[in-house]
Amino acid sequence: MKLSEGVEWGLHCALLLAEAGRPLPRRVLAEHYGLPEAYLAKHLQALTRAGLLHATSGPSGGFRLARPASEITVLDVLDAIEGPASPFVCQEIRQQGSGAARPEECTRPCAIASVMVRAHQAWRESLRAVTLDQLVNQVPPALRRRNRVKFGTDDSP
Amino acid sequence: MKLSEGVEWGLHCALLLAEAGRPLPRRVLAEHYGLPEAYLAKHLQALTRAGLLHATSGPSGGFRLARPASEITVLDVLDAIEGPASPFVCQEIRQQGSGAARPEECTRPCAIASVMVRAHQAWRESLRAVTLDQLVNQVPPALRRRNRVKFGTDDSP
DNA sequence: GCGGCAATACTCGGATAACAACTGTCCGAGTAAGTAAGG
DNA sequence: CCTTACTTACTCGGACAGTTGTTATCCGAGTATTGCCGC
């Protein structure tokens, strides 16, 4: 079980977009984090398709958050990039082979699958509890200031 | 992120071994669940290397639980088959690229990595809370009886 | 009848291919800005 | 000076290879059983 590295990229980029408050092109995002631009594009596409980012073409275009950072959870980003499919898929092998359970013995879901589903839900709940703005607030102040100078909207007097 | 299907196989086999109480060869396990024997062998090897099963060669040999079923958790089986590595590996991209954070700004672990670690721990705790004998008790009585007749130790008078 | 020995069949274990998914890359379609010409 | 049309450069989006990990399989090493021979 390995999680795509694009998850880390997507989360960091989403955080930076939350800090910036204005569209940033993928070229800027890639250079900022030292990532391959072409491959990062793939993950940003996924985030856009999921409705988390909004993409605008042309000069001064780029990606921006489609919703306020307080309304985007870490789980949203993960589902967008990894897909919402459960990592464990019960293949009902209890109903196969010479020791197959009979249909009337399978009225209840497989206990093993239930355990896996509960664990997966615990994982998802833990991720759903954290929003992007909570993460932004944990960025070191000095770094946040630098990012603001570099990208921030200069609407502050 | 996809979980190896060997996880389901390993768990079902471990449950059956807990029910049987005596060594079962991989051929019997494979036929009982309709699984490819050669590939199942790979996962049983992993469980053996992890110290969960004990393998004996020769006639009337096979695999048996190395510990009482009450002392084996679902998490043990998962770590044995999937490896204990965390699905999320923080590559510290915050310290790379043109916007790299300085070392003195990284005294605290990356907030994103922390969230992922907490979620992973929640997942593991949920799996650690369930033992094999708890799962055995959830097997339908009729099926359990059939398995007992088929494999069970005939030490009952 | 009993003990020892060899043959046997059964078991696991590691080494070896086929497939799929993730990783990485490229070029084309579309768009907004900038520019120059005309009114 | 303002409007307008065009050129330009910049953006995203989908289509195309390379590499790692999972899936599937085979054959050899080792062992307890089983049968047989000798005592």
Coordinates of all heavy atoms in Angstrom, one line a residue, chain B residues 58-144:
Chain B
G58 N 7.0 -31.6 5.5 CA 6.7 -33.0 5.5 C 5.3 -33.4 5.6 O 4.4 -32.5 5.7
P59 N 4.9 -34.7 5.5 CA 3.5 -35.1 5.6 C 2.9 -34.7 6.9 O 3.6 -34.6 7.9 CB 3.7 -36.6 5.6 CG 5.0 -36.9 4.9 CD 5.9 -35.8 5.3
S60 N 1.6 -34.4 6.9 CA 0.8 -33.9 8.0 C 1.4 -32.6 8.5 O 1.3 -32.3 9.7 CB 0.7 -34.9 9.1 OG 1.9 -35.0 9.8
G61 N 2.2 -31.9 7.7 CA 2.7 -30.6 8.0 C 1.8 -29.5 7.6 O 0.6 -29.7 7.4
G62 N 2.3 -28.3 7.5 CA 1.5 -27.1 7.2 C 1.7 -26.0 8.0 O 2.8 -25.9 8.7
F63 N 0.7 -25.1 8.1 CA 0.9 -23.8 8.9 C -0.1 -23.9 10.0 O -1.2 -24.4 9.9 CB 0.5 -22.6 8.0 CG 1.5 -22.4 6.9 CD1 1.3 -22.9 5.6 CD2 2.6 -21.6 7.0 CE1 2.1 -22.7 4.6 CE2 3.5 -21.3 6.0 CZ 3.2 -21.9 4.8
R64 N 0.4 -23.4 11.2 CA -0.4 -23.2 12.3 C -0.1 -21.9 12.9 O 1.0 -21.3 12.7 CB -0.2 -24.3 13.3 CG 1.2 -24.4 13.9 CD 1.3 -25.3 15.1 NE 2.7 -25.5 15.5 CZ 3.3 -24.6 16.4 NH1 2.6 -23.6 16.8 NH2 4.5 -24.8 16.7
L65 N -1.0 -21.4 13.8 CA -0.8 -20.1 14.4 C 0.4 -20.2 15.4 O 0.5 -21.2 16.1 CB -2.0 -19.6 15.2 CG -3.2 -19.3 14.4 CD1 -4.3 -18.7 15.3 CD2 -2.9 -18.3 13.3
A66 N 1.3 -19.3 15.4 CA 2.4 -19.3 16.3 C 2.1 -18.8 17.7 O 2.8 -19.1 18.6 CB 3.6 -18.4 15.7
R67 N 0.9 -18.1 17.8 CA 0.5 -17.6 19.1 C -1.0 -17.9 19.2 O -1.7 -18.1 18.2 CB 0.7 -16.1 19.2 CG 2.2 -15.6 19.1 CD 2.3 -14.2 19.7 NE 1.6 -13.2 19.0 CZ 2.2 -12.5 18.0 NH1 3.4 -12.7 17.7 NH2 1.5 -11.5 17.4
P68 N -1.5 -17.8 20.4 CA -3.0 -17.9 20.6 C -3.7 -16.8 19.7 O -3.2 -15.7 19.6 CB -3.2 -17.7 22.1 CG -1.9 -18.0 22.7 CD -0.9 -17.7 21.7
A69 N -4.9 -17.2 19.2 CA -5.6 -16.2 18.4 C -6.0 -15.0 19.1 O -6.2 -13.9 18.5 CB -6.9 -16.9 17.9
S70 N -6.0 -15.0 20.4 CA -6.3 -13.8 21.2 C -5.2 -12.8 21.3 O -5.3 -11.7 21.7 CB -6.7 -14.2 22.6 OG -5.7 -14.9 23.3
E71 N -4.0 -13.3 20.9 CA -2.8 -12.4 20.9 C -2.3 -12.0 19.5 O -1.2 -11.6 19.4 CB -1.7 -13.2 21.7 CG -2.0 -13.5 23.1 CD -0.9 -14.2 23.8 OE1 0.2 -14.4 23.3 OE2 -1.2 -14.8 24.9
I72 N -3.2 -12.2 18.5 CA -2.8 -11.8 17.2 C -3.9 -10.8 16.7 O -5.1 -11.1 16.7 CB -2.8 -13.0 16.2 CG1 -1.7 -14.0 16.6 CG2 -2.5 -12.5 14.8 CD1 -1.6 -15.2 15.7
T73 N -3.5 -9.6 16.4 CA -4.4 -8.6 16.0 C -4.4 -8.5 14.4 O -3.5 -9.0 13.7 CB -4.0 -7.2 16.5 OG1 -2.8 -6.8 15.9 CG2 -3.8 -7.3 18.0
V74 N -5.5 -7.9 13.9 CA -5.6 -7.7 12.5 C -4.4 -6.8 12.0 O -3.9 -7.0 10.9 CB -6.9 -7.0 12.1 CG1 -7.0 -6.7 10.7 CG2 -8.1 -7.9 12.6
L75 N -4.0 -5.9 12.8 CA -2.8 -5.0 12.4 C -1.6 -5.9 12.3 O -0.8 -5.6 11.3 CB -2.6 -4.0 13.5 CG -1.4 -3.0 13.3 CD1 -1.6 -2.2 12.0 CD2 -1.2 -2.1 14.4
D76 N -1.4 -6.9 13.1 CA -0.2 -7.8 12.9 C -0.2 -8.4 11.5 O 0.8 -8.4 10.9 CB -0.3 -8.9 14.0 CG 0.0 -8.3 15.4 OD1 0.7 -7.3 15.5 OD2 -0.6 -8.9 16.4
V77 N -1.3 -8.9 11.1 CA -1.4 -9.5 9.8 C -1.1 -8.5 8.7 O -0.4 -8.8 7.7 CB -2.8 -10.1 9.6 CG1 -2.9 -10.7 8.2 CG2 -3.1 -11.2 10.7
L78 N -1.7 -7.3 8.8 CA -1.5 -6.3 7.8 C 0.0 -5.9 7.7 O 0.6 -5.7 6.6 CB -2.3 -5.1 8.1 CG -3.6 -5.1 7.3 CD1 -4.8 -4.9 8.1 CD2 -3.6 -4.2 6.1
D79 N 0.6 -5.6 8.9 CA 2.0 -5.3 8.9 C 2.9 -6.4 8.3 O 3.8 -6.1 7.5 CB 2.5 -5.0 10.3 CG 2.1 -3.6 10.7 OD1 1.7 -2.8 9.9 OD2 2.2 -3.3 12.0
A80 N 2.5 -7.6 8.5 CA 3.3 -8.7 8.0 C 3.2 -8.8 6.4 O 4.2 -9.0 5.8 CB 2.8 -10.0 8.6
I81 N 2.0 -8.5 5.9 CA 1.8 -8.7 4.5 C 2.2 -7.4 3.7 O 2.8 -7.5 2.7 CB 0.4 -9.1 4.2 CG1 0.1 -10.5 4.7 CG2 0.1 -9.1 2.7 CD1 -1.2 -11.1 4.5
E82 N 1.7 -6.3 4.2 CA 1.9 -5.0 3.5 C 3.2 -4.3 3.9 O 3.7 -3.4 3.2 CB 0.8 -4.1 3.8 CG -0.5 -4.5 3.0 CD -0.3 -4.2 1.5 OE1 0.3 -3.2 1.2 OE2 -0.9 -5.0 0.8
G83 N 3.8 -4.8 5.0 CA 5.0 -4.1 5.5 C 4.5 -2.9 6.4 O 3.5 -2.3 6.1
P84 N 5.3 -2.6 7.4 CA 4.9 -1.6 8.3 C 5.1 -0.2 7.9 O 4.8 0.8 8.6 CB 5.8 -1.9 9.6 CG 7.1 -2.5 9.0 CD 6.6 -3.2 7.7
A85 N 5.6 0.0 6.6 CA 5.9 1.4 6.2 C 4.6 2.2 6.1 O 3.6 1.7 5.7 CB 6.6 1.3 4.8
S86 N 4.7 3.4 6.4 CA 3.6 4.3 6.3 C 3.3 4.6 4.9 O 4.2 4.8 4.0 CB 3.9 5.7 7.0 OG 2.9 6.6 6.8
P87 N 2.0 4.7 4.5 CA 1.7 4.9 3.1 C 2.1 6.3 2.6 O 2.3 6.5 1.5 CB 0.1 4.7 3.0 CG -0.3 4.9 4.4 CD 0.8 4.4 5.3
F88 N 2.2 7.2 3.6 CA 2.6 8.6 3.2 C 4.0 8.8 3.7 O 4.3 8.6 4.8 CB 1.6 9.6 3.9 CG 2.0 11.0 3.6 CD1 1.6 11.6 2.4 CD2 2.8 11.8 4.5 CE1 1.9 12.9 2.1 CE2 3.1 13.1 4.2 CZ 2.7 13.7 3.0
V89 N 4.8 9.2 2.7 CA 6.2 9.5 3.1 C 6.5 11.0 2.7 O 6.4 11.4 1.6 CB 7.2 8.6 2.3 CG1 7.2 7.2 2.9 CG2 6.8 8.5 0.8
C90 N 6.7 11.8 3.8 CA 7.0 13.2 3.6 C 8.3 13.4 2.9 O 9.3 12.9 3.5 CB 6.9 13.9 4.9 SG 7.2 15.7 4.8
Q91 N 8.3 14.0 1.8 CA 9.6 14.2 1.1 C 10.2 15.6 1.3 O 11.1 16.0 0.7 CB 9.4 14.0 -0.4 CG 9.0 12.6 -0.7 CD 8.8 12.3 -2.2 OE1 8.2 13.2 -2.9 NE2 9.3 11.2 -2.7
E92 N 9.6 16.3 2.3 CA 10.1 17.6 2.7 C 10.3 18.6 1.5 O 11.3 19.2 1.4 CB 11.4 17.5 3.4 CG 11.2 16.9 4.8 CD 10.6 17.8 5.8 OE1 10.7 19.1 5.6 OE2 10.0 17.4 6.8
I93 N 9.3 18.6 0.7 CA 9.4 19.5 -0.5 C 9.3 21.0 0.0 O 9.6 21.9 -0.8 CB 8.3 19.3 -1.5 CG1 6.9 19.6 -1.0 CG2 8.3 17.8 -2.0 CD1 5.8 19.5 -2.0
R94 N 9.0 21.2 1.2 CA 8.9 22.6 1.7 C 10.4 23.2 1.8 O 10.6 24.4 1.9 CB 8.3 22.6 3.1 CG 9.0 21.8 4.1 CD 8.5 22.0 5.5 NE 9.2 21.2 6.5 CZ 9.0 21.2 7.8 NH1 8.1 22.1 8.3 NH2 9.6 20.4 8.6
Q95 N 11.4 22.3 1.8 CA 12.7 22.7 1.9 C 13.4 22.7 0.5 O 14.6 22.7 0.4 CB 13.5 21.8 2.9 CG 13.0 21.9 4.3 CD 13.9 21.1 5.2 OE1 15.1 21.3 5.2 NE2 13.3 20.3 6.1
Q96 N 12.6 22.5 -0.5 CA 13.2 22.5 -1.9 C 12.6 23.6 -2.8 O 11.6 24.2 -2.4 CB 12.9 21.1 -2.5 CG 13.6 20.0 -1.7 CD 13.1 18.6 -2.3 OE1 12.4 18.5 -3.3 NE2 13.6 17.5 -1.6
G97 N 13.3 23.8 -3.9 CA 12.8 24.8 -4.8 C 13.1 26.2 -4.4 O 13.8 26.5 -3.4
S98 N 12.6 27.2 -5.2 CA 12.9 28.6 -5.0 C 12.3 29.1 -3.7 O 12.8 30.1 -3.1 CB 12.4 29.4 -6.1 OG 11.0 29.3 -6.2
G99 N 11.2 28.5 -3.2 CA 10.6 28.9 -2.0 C 10.9 28.0 -0.8 O 10.1 27.9 0.1
A100 N 12.1 27.5 -0.8 CA 12.5 26.6 0.2 C 12.5 27.2 1.6 O 13.0 28.4 1.8 CB 13.9 26.0 0.0
A101 N 11.9 26.5 2.6 CA 11.9 27.0 4.0 C 13.3 26.8 4.5 O 14.0 25.8 4.2 CB 10.9 26.3 4.8
R102 N 13.7 27.7 5.4 CA 15.1 27.6 6.0 C 15.1 26.6 7.1 O 14.0 26.4 7.7 CB 15.5 29.0 6.5 CG 15.6 30.0 5.3 CD 15.9 31.4 5.8 NE 15.9 32.3 4.6 CZ 15.8 33.6 4.7 NH1 15.7 34.2 5.9 NH2 15.8 34.4 3.7
P103 N 16.2 26.1 7.4 CA 16.3 25.0 8.5 C 15.7 25.5 9.8 O 15.0 24.8 10.5 CB 17.7 24.7 8.6 CG 18.3 25.1 7.2 CD 17.5 26.2 6.7
E104 N 15.9 26.8 10.1 CA 15.4 27.3 11.4 C 13.9 27.4 11.4 O 13.3 27.6 12.4 CB 16.0 28.6 11.8 CG 15.7 29.7 10.8 CD 16.8 29.9 9.8 OE1 17.6 28.9 9.6 OE2 17.0 31.0 9.2
E105 N 13.3 27.3 10.2 CA 11.8 27.4 10.1 C 11.2 26.0 10.1 O 10.0 25.9 10.0 CB 11.4 28.1 8.8 CG 11.7 29.6 8.8 CD 11.7 30.2 7.5 OE1 11.5 29.5 6.5 OE2 11.8 31.5 7.4
C106 N 12.0 25.0 10.2 CA 11.5 23.6 10.1 C 11.8 22.9 11.4 O 12.1 21.6 11.4 CB 12.2 22.9 8.9 SG 11.7 23.6 7.3
T107 N 11.9 23.6 12.5 CA 12.1 22.9 13.8 C 10.9 22.0 14.1 O 11.1 20.9 14.7 CB 12.3 23.9 14.9 OG1 11.1 24.8 14.9 CG2 13.5 24.8 14.7
R108 N 9.7 22.4 13.7 CA 8.5 21.6 13.9 C 8.3 20.8 12.7 O 8.6 21.2 11.6 CB 7.3 22.5 14.1 CG 7.4 23.4 15.3 CD 6.2 23.4 16.1 NE 6.4 23.8 17.5 CZ 5.6 23.6 18.5 NH1 4.5 22.9 18.3 NH2 5.9 24.0 19.7
P109 N 7.8 19.6 12.8 CA 7.5 18.7 11.7 C 6.5 19.4 10.8 O 5.6 20.1 11.3 CB 7.0 17.4 12.2 CG 6.6 17.7 13.6 CD 7.5 18.9 14.1
C110 N 6.6 19.1 9.5 CA 5.6 19.6 8.5 C 4.2 19.3 9.0 O 3.9 18.2 9.3 CB 5.9 19.0 7.2 SG 4.8 19.5 5.9
A111 N 3.4 20.4 9.0 CA 2.0 20.2 9.4 C 1.2 19.2 8.6 O 0.4 18.4 9.1 CB 1.3 21.6 9.4
I112 N 1.5 19.2 7.3 CA 0.9 18.2 6.4 C 1.2 16.8 6.8 O 0.4 15.9 7.0 CB 1.2 18.5 5.0 CG1 0.6 19.8 4.5 CG2 0.8 17.3 4.1 CD1 1.0 20.2 3.1
A113 N 2.5 16.6 7.0 CA 3.0 15.2 7.4 C 2.3 14.8 8.7 O 1.9 13.7 8.9 CB 4.5 15.2 7.5
S114 N 2.2 15.8 9.7 CA 1.6 15.5 11.0 C 0.2 15.0 10.8 O -0.2 14.0 11.4 CB 1.6 16.7 11.9 OG 3.0 17.1 12.1
V115 N -0.6 15.7 9.9 CA -2.0 15.2 9.7 C -2.0 13.8 9.2 O -2.8 13.0 9.6 CB -2.7 16.2 8.8 CG1 -4.0 15.7 8.3 CG2 -2.8 17.6 9.4
M116 N -1.1 13.6 8.2 CA -1.2 12.2 7.6 C -0.7 11.2 8.6 O -1.3 10.1 8.6 CB -0.2 12.2 6.4 CG -0.6 13.2 5.3 SD -2.2 12.9 4.7 CE -2.1 11.3 4.0
V117 N 0.2 11.5 9.5 CA 0.7 10.5 10.5 C -0.4 10.2 11.5 O -0.7 9.1 11.8 CB 1.9 11.1 11.2 CG1 2.2 10.2 12.4 CG2 3.1 11.0 10.2
R118 N -1.1 11.3 11.9 CA -2.2 11.1 12.8 C -3.3 10.2 12.2 O -3.8 9.3 12.9 CB -2.8 12.4 13.3 CG -2.2 13.0 14.5 CD -3.1 14.1 15.1 NE -3.3 15.2 14.2 CZ -2.5 16.2 14.0 NH1 -1.4 16.3 14.7 NH2 -2.7 17.2 13.2
A119 N -3.6 10.5 11.0 CA -4.7 9.6 10.3 C -4.2 8.2 10.2 O -5.0 7.3 10.5 CB -5.0 10.2 8.9
H120 N -2.9 8.0 9.9 CA -2.4 6.6 9.8 C -2.5 5.9 11.1 O -2.8 4.8 11.2 CB -1.0 6.7 9.3 CG -0.4 5.4 9.0 ND1 -1.0 4.4 8.2 CD2 0.8 4.8 9.4 CE1 -0.2 3.3 8.1 NE2 0.8 3.5 8.9
Q121 N -2.1 6.7 12.2 CA -2.2 6.1 13.5 C -3.6 5.7 13.9 O -3.9 4.7 14.5 CB -1.6 7.0 14.5 CG -0.1 7.1 14.5 CD 0.5 8.1 15.4 OE1 -0.2 9.0 15.9 NE2 1.8 8.1 15.6
A122 N -4.6 6.6 13.5 CA -6.0 6.2 13.8 C -6.4 4.9 13.1 O -7.1 4.1 13.7 CB -6.9 7.4 13.3
W123 N -5.9 4.8 11.9 CA -6.2 3.6 11.1 C -5.6 2.4 11.8 O -6.2 1.4 12.0 CB -5.6 3.8 9.7 CG -5.9 2.7 8.7 CD1 -7.1 2.5 8.1 CD2 -4.9 1.8 8.2 NE1 -7.0 1.4 7.3 CE2 -5.7 1.0 7.3 CE3 -3.6 1.5 8.4 CZ2 -5.1 0.0 6.5 CZ3 -3.0 0.5 7.6 CH2 -3.7 -0.2 6.7
R124 N -4.3 2.5 12.2 CA -3.6 1.4 12.9 C -4.3 1.0 14.2 O -4.5 -0.1 14.5 CB -2.2 1.7 13.1 CG -1.4 1.8 11.8 CD 0.0 2.2 12.0 NE 0.8 1.3 12.8 CZ 1.4 0.3 12.3 NH1 1.4 0.0 11.0 NH2 2.1 -0.6 13.1
E125 N -4.7 2.0 15.0 CA -5.3 1.8 16.3 C -6.6 1.0 16.1 O -6.9 0.1 16.8 CB -5.5 3.1 17.0 CG -4.3 3.7 17.6 CD -3.5 2.7 18.5 OE1 -4.2 2.0 19.3 OE2 -2.3 2.6 18.3
S126 N -7.3 1.4 15.0 CA -8.6 0.7 14.8 C -8.4 -0.8 14.4 O -9.2 -1.6 14.8 CB -9.3 1.4 13.6 OG -10.6 0.8 13.3
L127 N -7.3 -1.0 13.8 CA -7.0 -2.4 13.4 C -6.4 -3.2 14.6 O -6.6 -4.4 14.7 CB -6.1 -2.5 12.2 CG -6.6 -1.9 10.9 CD1 -5.6 -1.9 9.8 CD2 -7.8 -2.7 10.4
R128 N -5.6 -2.5 15.4 CA -5.0 -3.1 16.5 C -6.0 -3.6 17.5 O -5.7 -4.5 18.4 CB -4.0 -2.2 17.1 CG -3.0 -2.9 18.1 CD -2.4 -1.9 19.0 NE -1.9 -0.7 18.4 CZ -0.6 -0.6 17.8 NH1 0.2 -1.6 17.9 NH2 -0.3 0.6 17.2
A129 N -7.2 -3.0 17.5 CA -8.2 -3.2 18.6 C -8.9 -4.5 18.3 O -9.7 -5.0 19.2 CB -9.2 -2.1 18.7
V130 N -8.7 -5.2 17.2 CA -9.4 -6.4 16.9 C -8.5 -7.6 16.8 O -7.5 -7.5 16.1 CB -10.2 -6.2 15.5 CG1 -11.0 -7.5 15.2 CG2 -11.1 -5.0 15.6
T131 N -8.8 -8.6 17.5 CA -8.0 -9.8 17.5 C -8.6 -10.9 16.7 O -9.8 -10.8 16.4 CB -7.7 -10.3 19.0 OG1 -9.0 -10.6 19.6 CG2 -7.0 -9.2 19.8
L132 N -7.9 -11.9 16.4 CA -8.4 -13.0 15.6 C -9.5 -13.8 16.2 O -10.5 -14.1 15.6 CB -7.3 -14.0 15.2 CG -6.2 -13.5 14.2 CD1 -5.3 -14.6 13.8 CD2 -6.9 -12.8 13.0
D133 N -9.4 -14.0 17.6 CA -10.5 -14.8 18.2 C -11.8 -14.0 18.2 O -12.9 -14.6 18.2 CB -10.1 -15.2 19.6 CG -9.9 -14.0 20.5 OD1 -9.6 -12.9 20.0 OD2 -9.9 -14.2 21.7
Q134 N -11.7 -12.7 18.3 CA -13.0 -11.9 18.2 C -13.6 -12.1 16.8 O -14.9 -12.1 16.7 CB -12.6 -10.4 18.4 CG -12.2 -10.0 19.8 CD -11.8 -8.6 19.9 OE1 -11.9 -7.8 18.9 NE2 -11.3 -8.2 21.1
L135 N -12.8 -12.2 15.8 CA -13.4 -12.4 14.4 C -13.9 -13.9 14.3 O -15.0 -14.1 13.7 CB -12.3 -12.2 13.4 CG -11.9 -10.8 13.2 CD1 -10.8 -10.7 12.1 CD2 -13.0 -9.9 12.8
V136 N -13.3 -14.8 14.9 CA -13.7 -16.2 14.9 C -15.1 -16.3 15.5 O -16.0 -17.0 15.0 CB -12.8 -17.1 15.6 CG1 -13.4 -18.5 15.8 CG2 -11.5 -17.2 14.9
N137 N -15.3 -15.5 16.6 CA -16.6 -15.6 17.3 C -17.8 -15.0 16.4 O -18.9 -15.2 16.7 CB -16.5 -14.8 18.6 CG -15.8 -15.6 19.6 OD1 -15.7 -16.8 19.6 ND2 -15.1 -14.9 20.5
Q138 N -17.4 -14.2 15.4 CA -18.4 -13.7 14.5 C -18.7 -14.5 13.3 O -19.6 -14.2 12.5 CB -17.9 -12.3 14.0 CG -17.9 -11.3 15.2 CD -17.5 -9.9 14.7 OE1 -17.9 -9.5 13.6 NE2 -16.7 -9.2 15.5
V139 N -18.0 -15.6 13.2 CA -18.3 -16.6 12.1 C -19.7 -17.2 12.3 O -20.0 -17.6 13.5 CB -17.3 -17.6 11.9 CG1 -17.6 -18.7 10.9 CG2 -15.9 -17.0 11.6
P140 N -20.6 -17.3 11.3 CA -21.9 -17.9 11.6 C -21.7 -19.3 12.1 O -20.9 -20.1 11.7 CB -22.5 -17.9 10.1 CG -21.8 -16.8 9.4 CD -20.4 -16.8 10.0
P141 N -22.6 -19.7 13.1 CA -22.4 -21.0 13.8 C -22.5 -22.1 12.9 O -21.7 -23.1 13.0 CB -23.7 -21.0 14.7 CG -24.0 -19.5 15.0 CD -23.6 -18.8 13.7
A142 N -23.3 -22.1 11.9 CA -23.5 -23.3 11.0 C -22.1 -23.4 10.2 O -21.6 -24.6 10.1 CB -24.6 -23.0 10.0
L143 N -21.6 -22.3 9.7 CA -20.3 -22.4 9.0 C -19.2 -22.9 9.9 O -18.4 -23.7 9.5 CB -20.0 -21.1 8.4 CG -18.7 -20.9 7.6 CD1 -18.7 -22.0 6.5 CD2 -18.6 -19.5 7.0
R144 N -19.2 -22.4 11.1 CA -18.2 -22.8 12.1 C -18.3 -24.3 12.4 O -17.2 -25.0 12.5 CB -18.4 -22.0 13.4 CG -17.1 -21.6 14.0 CD -17.4 -20.6 15.1 NE -16.6 -20.8 16.3 CZ -16.8 -20.2 17.4 NH1 -17.8 -19.3 17.5 NH2 -16.1 -20.4 18.5

